Amino acid sequence: MTITQLEYIVAVDTYRSFVLAAEKCFVTQPTLSMQVQKLEDTLGVKLFDRSKQPVTPTEIGTEIITQARILLSESEKIKEIITDRKKELSGELKVGIIPTIAPYILPKILHGFIEKYPQVKLVVWEQTTEQIIHELKLGMIDCGILSTPLHESNLTELPVFYENFVAYVSKNSNLSKKKTISPDDIDMEEIWILNEGHCMREQVLNICQRRKSTQGFKHFEYNTGSVETLKRMVDQNNGATILPELALTDLTDKQLDKVRYFKSPEPAREVSIVIQRNFLKRRMIEALKNEILDFLPKRMKTKKKKEVMDI
């Protein structure tokens, strides 16, 4: 039994395909298949049911692959010990980040992080919360940056900041007549919101105390995953929307006039770095967290006078 063989069976389990697993492991499919077969012969059991498409692990295969993931994780710690002793950060950090956070965080931190840690390769994917949780559990990414709490017992959440929600309203909205607003002031018939699958949609509905999906405007239903699109819909089609505070950074003075803040306690989202309980690359992840904290205003580093919205 070798580390390479364990990597191969984990890859087959992750991608449910020998062809795709070989591609991800940068070997030929016959090479990967041969090593998987050798491991099965050594163990005396079948790890995968090859008659099914996609390929699925057998019952005992599932148990062995779970243990293989643990062994591979522990073997990576040997490399971390060496890196820590050298007092340098190097290697690859794979990060998943949700689309409602990415455009407001990444442009602010990338240049500084790369300059400080030139030996680290940062690989980032924009994904939904569901995708990030799935890939964290499979070990396909090292950490996720997303709204919490997730209520996932096998993941660890490291809160980084607390970002207020604000209303962005057209001049025709009743909200525009108020200096500050409360959730009770919001008319769901005029609110533009993200489509299902985005945690910010649920947070906005929770602010409005409406957990069920809404049709929005009576004559038009629009599904989008982009906060920037929501702003444009208000600018050009009236109504109102709810934005995270960092989305205000690039607004013009005219657009800032459309912003209305909530009365205290202000609704907010908790943004965390999420990792596996038995996580690796601790120093890299800590460096990423500190880079985010460095550019944030002090008020976002506390949840005082804020009400964190569940997702």
Side-chain angles (χ1 to χ4, degrees):
M1 186 187 307
T2 67
I3 293 292
T4 298
Q5 289 173 336
L6 297 182
E7 289 174 341
Y8 289 173
I9 65 170
V10 165
V12 174
D13 179 55
T14 299
Y15 300 106
R16 299 300 168 105
S17 163
F18 279 84
V19 174
L20 189 53
E23 181 183 318
K24 297 294 183 180
C25 293
F26 303 103
V27 295
T28 64
Q29 189 265 322
T31 297
L32 182 138
S33 295
M34 181 180 67
Q35 288 300 322
V36 172
Q37 183 65 58
K38 280 186 176 182
L39 181 58
E40 288 179 324
D41 292 344
T42 299
L43 298 175
V45 295
K46 285 291 180 185
L47 301 177
F48 296 100
D49 184 347
R50 293 163 173 79
S51 66
K52 294 182 179 179
Q53 290 297 328
V55 174
T56 57
T58 60
E59 185 176 345
I60 193 168
T62 299
E63 293 183 43
I64 290 170
I65 291 164
T66 298
Q67 191 61 37
R69 290 185 185 278
I70 295 171
L71 288 171
L72 290 173
S73 177
E74 292 299 317
S75 71
E76 284 293 319
K77 289 184 179 178
I78 295 173
K79 298 176 186 177
E80 283 203 1
I81 291 170
I82 296 169
T83 301
D84 286 346
R85 185 59 61 91
K86 289 180 178 178
K87 303 296 181 184
E88 66 178 27
L89 286 184
S90 63
E92 187 175 76
L93 184 63
K94 293 176 284 188
V95 182
I97 184 168
I98 57 175
T100 58
I101 294 176
Y104 314 115
I105 293 290
L106 293 180
K108 306 287 186 183
I109 68 168
L110 279 181
H111 181 72
F113 187 88
I114 292 168
E115 273 201 341
K116 287 180 186 176
Y117 310 107
Q119 300 303 313
V120 175
K121 180 181 180 182
L122 202 57
V123 183
V124 183
W125 291 271
E126 278 194 29
Q127 300 169 309
T128 64
T129 295
E130 185 178 357
Q131 288 172 316
I132 291 173
I133 291 172
H134 177 69
E135 295 199 359
L136 276 171
K137 289 178 178 179
L138 291 178
M140 296 171 68
I141 56 177
D142 300 307
C143 66
I145 302 174
L146 59 167
S147 291
T148 51
L150 299 175
H151 309 294
E152 291 280 345
S153 59
N154 51 354
L155 297 177
T156 297
E157 299 168 5
L158 309 173
V160 181
F161 65 94
Y162 301 88
E163 181 184 15
N164 289 345
F165 286 107
V166 301
Y168 186 70
V169 306
S170 68
K171 63 181 180 180
N172 294 329
S173 169
N174 288 330
L175 296 176
S176 68
K177 301 180 180 67
K178 298 176 179 288
K179 290 185 177 180
T180 58
I181 64 172
S182 70
D184 291 337
D185 296 326
I186 296 173
D187 178 4
M188 288 303 293
E189 290 295 323
E190 71 166 5
I191 290 289
W192 300 98
I193 60 175
L194 296 175
N195 56 17
E196 293 186 12
H198 292 271
C199 58
M200 203 181 99
R201 171 191 172 92
E202 302 307 318
Q203 290 169 320
V204 168
L205 292 177
N206 285 339
I207 290 171
C208 305
Q209 300 176 339
R210 284 279 301 273
R211 294 184 178 274
K212 295 181 181 179
S213 63
T214 175
Q215 288 292 323
F217 289 95
K218 292 180 180 178
H219 303 293
F220 184 68
E221 179 179 353
Y222 185 72
N223 295 292
T224 180
S226 167
V227 171
E228 296 304 305
T229 301
L230 294 179
K231 287 193 294 190
R232 292 190 179 95
M233 294 303 283
V234 172
D235 288 338
Q236 299 178 29
N237 297 279
N238 297 322
T241 191
I242 306 296
L243 302 176
E245 191 176 0
L246 286 174
L248 308 182
T249 306
D250 298 321
L251 294 190
T252 64
D253 290 341
K254 184 178 179 181
Q255 288 176 312
L256 286 172
D257 286 340
K258 299 179 181 180
V259 175
R260 296 294 181 272
Y261 292 89
F262 285 91
K263 297 172 183 176
S264 183
E266 295 175 83
R269 63 175 175 179
E270 178 184 79
V271 177
S272 300
I273 292 180
V274 181
I275 52 180
Q276 285 186 324
R277 282 194 172 276
N278 188 25
F279 75 106
L280 300 168
K281 304 183 181 179
R282 294 170 186 267
R283 289 179 61 220
M284 274 194 243
I285 291 170
E286 188 65 27
L288 180 63
K289 178 182 177 181
N290 289 336
E291 199 67 28
I292 295 171
L293 286 171
D294 283 348
F295 93 88
L296 291 171
K298 187 176 180 179
R299 69 178 182 279
M300 285 192 181
K301 299 175 186 179
T302 176
K303 58 180 176 180
K304 187 178 180 181
K305 296 183 179 179
K306 300 176 183 178
E307 181 183 358
V308 175
M309 294 292 106
D310 210 347
I311 59 175

